[in-house]
Amino acid sequence: MIGAEQEQARTPTGPAFADAVTFAFGDAEAQLYGLARIGLSPGEDGDARSGSALALLFEGREPVAAFARGGLEAEPGADWDAIELGGLRMTVEEPLRSWRVTMDGEQHGFDLRFQALTPPAEIDGGEAVVRAGGMVGYEQLCGVTGTVRAGGRATEVRCLGQRGHGWGEPDWSRIESARTVAAWPDAGYGLALTSVRPQGAEHADELVWAALLDEQGTLRVEDPRMSTTYDGEGRQRRAGLELWLGDDEYPHRGSGEVLCGSTLDLGQLRLDCAFFRWRIDGESGVGRYDVLRRAADA
């Protein structure tokens, strides 16, 4: 059960421990899409924390701002109630209900409020995907309002998005790739999906967790299935979904295609971040599809 105490920064359990909060949003009418992530990890000296900041902002198909900054010095006792690192600032206005995220840049940035539309969907330690990937956490579908600046021009947005908080000790010597998928139909259920492919595993052996997000609660997807078409450089371009709930005679079905995307070099890892146009059970909307994998020379 996720409670307000989970909104706090988690206590490190080892040198590989990571704690991260991610915000994502997409306004199809304004053609503005963005992602912001702050991570905390143990520092080398006592209670000190090392931090990272990652952000992407797209206008139409083009990335207008992108950065990934690591090795940032976080203050001792840094917590999610109010944190600022590398040009990103995040605050918890009301635990599990309301948050604010800002990105500051000369020409590009945003100042957004995220309001929870659903209870948190928990990814707990008993899940196979957690045993393989090492990260527990929760996801919430959100309503998003605020201002986005692109090319010095400010635009008011009102759209859907998602906030996630995850923590644990991922061992990338044992992981080939991890995927994060979110779909925010204008009506119907939202979708949160995460998968991990262990090193040397085939696609059929990939471990997947998924849930449908609704204001009344979350529906655990018992058998989530996803197929993806990639381009020549390994970036996701199209996807199909079959989401089986318990003993239902038919699955929830969906498909998606890329709207915009970019690749970020994270040292030993490579992040292919994309925003998709999704259609699930006849309802359309936008969402996110990220693939994090070991870099070719790692």
Side-chain angles (χ1 to χ4, degrees):
M1 177 70 71
I2 297 297
E5 67 277 7
Q6 267 77 36
E7 291 280 67
Q8 300 172 348
R10 314 308 295 162
T11 301
T13 56
F17 185 84
D19 184 7
V21 168
T22 303
F23 292 87
F25 69 93
D27 189 324
E29 183 175 349
Q31 297 188 64
L32 293 166
Y33 314 92
L35 172 75
R37 178 186 183 276
I38 289 180
L40 293 172
S41 57
E44 297 181 358
D45 182 21
D47 293 332
R49 293 284 187 98
S50 176
S52 62
L54 182 152
L56 281 159
L57 178 62
F58 296 89
E59 184 177 26
R61 298 188 65 86
E62 299 301 319
V64 295
F67 62 77
R69 299 165 180 159
L72 304 174
E73 184 177 350
E75 294 184 1
D79 209 338
W80 298 120
D81 58 349
I83 188 168
E84 186 169 2
L85 279 176
L88 294 177
R89 178 173 176 79
M90 300 177 179
T91 58
V92 177
E93 297 190 332
E94 185 179 356
L96 299 177
R97 292 184 179 275
S98 181
W99 310 269
R100 184 178 179 185
V101 57
T102 63
M103 182 182 84
D104 295 323
E106 284 189 22
Q107 297 294 315
H108 314 295
F110 45 77
D111 184 349
L112 300 170
R113 280 184 166 80
F114 280 63
Q115 191 76 29
L117 299 177
T118 67
E122 182 180 8
I123 312 171
D124 65 39
E127 298 286 348
V129 72
V130 172
R131 293 194 294 272
M135 298 288 284
V136 299
Y138 53 95
E139 300 283 339
Q140 287 179 267
L141 180 67
C142 297
V144 184
T145 57
T147 303
V148 176
R149 290 182 296 106
R153 184 179 68 256
T155 302
E156 295 295 318
V157 298
R158 181 178 294 273
C159 59
L160 296 175
Q162 198 158 317
R163 179 187 184 268
H165 181 193
W167 60 91
E169 295 189 59
D171 181 357
W172 280 95
S173 69
R174 300 172 52 237
I175 301 170
E176 183 172 310
S177 64
R179 294 189 287 179
T180 300
V181 173
W184 316 311
D186 296 329
Y189 295 108
L191 168 68
L193 181 150
T194 185
S195 72
V196 172
R197 183 180 298 185
Q199 181 65 26
E202 299 294 331
H203 172 70
D205 298 321
E206 191 165 13
L207 303 166
V208 186
W209 169 92
L212 297 178
L213 310 179
D214 181 74
E215 63 182 8
Q216 301 302 320
T218 61
L219 297 175
R220 174 75 160 77
V221 179
E222 296 296 330
D223 184 9
R225 306 176 189 179
M226 185 167 71
S227 61
T228 305
T229 301
Y230 299 90
D231 66 13
E233 297 183 4
R235 293 185 293 248
Q236 57 276 29
R237 286 296 175 258
R238 290 182 297 278
L241 294 166
E242 283 192 0
L243 307 170
W244 292 86
L245 302 179
D247 297 326
D248 286 358
E249 186 175 357
Y250 301 104
H252 295 267
R253 298 184 187 274
S255 61
E257 60 183 1
V258 69
L259 291 168
C260 54
S262 186
T263 297
L264 289 178
D265 179 359
L266 305 180
Q268 293 186 335
L269 301 176
R270 159 183 160 173
L271 173 65
D272 291 315
C273 176
F275 285 85
F276 267 45
R277 166 68 70 181
W278 289 103
R279 190 170 183 84
I280 299 177
D281 291 344
E283 300 291 345
S284 63
V286 299
R288 166 184 166 214
Y289 185 168
D290 290 355
V291 181
L292 184 63
R293 70 190 80 187
R294 299 199 303 173
D297 56 354

